[in-house]
Amino acid sequence: SEHDTLLEVSGLRAGYGRIVGVDDVSIAVRAGELVALLGANGAGKSTILRALSGMITPWSGSVVFDGRDVTGMRSDTLVRAGLVHVPEGRRVLARLTVEENLRLGAFSRRDRAGIAETMDQVFTRFERLAERRHQKAGTLSGGEQQMLVIGRALMSRPKLLLLDEPSLGLSPRLVHEVFELIRSLAADGQTVLLVEQNVVQGLKVADRGYVLTTGRVTSAGDSAKLLADPSLVRSYLGGQ
Ligand code: ATP
């Protein structure tokens, strides 16, 4: 129903200087859903996440989050509202420990007991981070750093988690692990908007997907429906 729509993006246009990144994009995410933004390199997926999280300012269109118009709001305001972005590139603070990195993710919270509780939950979910909690983040493997940036985002208890290509550059085994983790977060009720270049892999993990081509949505629907579309699958399998 309309009531459980957590995010509604209408007619979004955004870009960089004169470069149009996305043009007239409309998408929605309901509470509890795992939705994927799919498409080739440069299609505009990251631009959507950046415009949603305040990293760039939309040129036009509107973003309604949790019943409130948040178009053009600043990142820290959005984090407080429950919209948290994990950008591409897994930027951890290399010289801080795992625990210190996680603590930074709770910057918007004041409840010490609640923060400690969330950290326990993160360590329960990510056992390898728990084992390395006093280790400097720079010494972690790529897969562990990806877990850490996701864990850091969870420290703010987001209503909506925006994940940009968490599998990028990981070995096939770690890609599988990261997708399993995202699936388990979603199974526990976390709403996720996931950017993924690999259309087939993204659809296998998500409930629904939007396929972008040069800044516009060109296909959308339930993952099963999109996976059953031979022309779509063929056009993206060719490129991998
Ligand atoms: P990728 O997998 O490369 O992140 P994407 O689908 O996320 O692909 P975007 O990064 O959103 O695509 O790029 C959309 C368009 O905006 C592309 O034409 C890209 O070249 C351009 N673009 C992206 N970031 C910048 C930037 N920082 N400055 C200028 N142009 C940019």
Side-chain angles (χ1 to χ4, degrees), residues 178-195:
V178 167
F179 281 135
E180 282 298 302
L181 166 80
I182 294 167
R183 240 196 241 273
S184 87
L185 284 173
D188 290 344
Q190 175 68 56
T191 311
V192 179
L193 181 58
L194 168 74
V195 159

Side-chain angles (χ1 to χ4, degrees), residues 16 19-21 40-47 50 88 165 195 197:
Y16 313 86
I19 298 168
V20 180
N41 215 316
K45 308 176 298 294
S46 299
T47 301
R50 292 184 194 124
E88 252 175 313
E165 301 238 23
V195 159
Q197 217 177 99

Side-chain angles (χ1 to χ4, degrees), residues 24-52:
D24 197 20
V25 163
S26 297
I27 62 168
V29 180
R30 290 189 287 270
E33 271 191 315
L34 169 44
V35 175
L37 294 177
L38 307 154
N41 215 316
K45 308 176 298 294
S46 299
T47 301
I48 295 175
L49 295 198
R50 292 184 194 124
L52 291 178

Side-chain angles (χ1 to χ4, degrees), residues 11-14 20-25 214-217:
L12 179 70
R13 291 188 82 240
V20 180
V22 289
D23 198 1
D24 197 20
V25 163
T214 55
R216 289 172 178 272
V217 175

Side-chain angles (χ1 to χ4, degrees), residues 67-216:
R68 172 175 168 216
D69 188 335
V70 299
T71 315
M73 283 189 183
R74 289 161 40 132
S75 302
D76 57 335
T77 310
L78 292 165
V79 169
R80 276 173 235 281
L83 200 160
V84 180
H85 184 186
V86 180
E88 252 175 313
R90 6 179 207 283
R91 267 180 269 278
V92 299
L93 289 155
R95 282 130 84 90
L96 298 186
T97 66
V98 166
E99 191 174 316
E100 287 163 344
N101 270 273
L102 289 176
R103 206 169 291 284
L104 289 175
F107 76 89
S108 63
R109 298 174 63 183
R110 289 285 164 268
D111 54 326
R112 290 173 126 257
I115 293 169
E117 193 186 323
T118 309
M119 192 169 304
D120 282 344
Q121 289 165 355
V122 168
F123 280 140
T124 303
R125 194 178 285 283
F126 304 90
E127 280 174 33
R128 259 181 302 158
L129 294 184
E131 290 160 12
R132 290 160 173 67
R133 66 191 292 162
H134 301 302
Q135 206 167 306
K136 299 261 192 286
T139 66
L140 301 180
S141 71
E144 290 160 355
Q145 292 189 1
Q146 185 59 57
M147 303 295 180
L148 180 55
V149 291
I150 295 175
R152 186 169 64 192
L154 293 174
M155 288 300 298
S156 67
R157 286 194 300 186
K159 289 183 180 142
L160 174 61
L161 187 58
L162 307 176
L163 293 179
D164 199 342
E165 301 238 23
S167 70
L168 199 72
L170 299 179
S171 69
R173 186 177 56 82
L174 286 176
V175 169
H176 178 75
E177 238 180 82
V178 167
F179 281 135
E180 282 298 302
L181 166 80
I182 294 167
R183 240 196 241 273
S184 87
L185 284 173
D188 290 344
Q190 175 68 56
T191 311
V192 179
L193 181 58
L194 168 74
V195 159
E196 176 55 50
Q197 217 177 99
N198 185 321
V199 172
V200 173
Q201 214 154 34
L203 288 174
K204 281 184 179 159
V205 77
D207 301 315
R208 279 196 307 120
Y210 293 92
V211 180
L212 282 125
T213 313
T214 55
R216 289 172 178 272

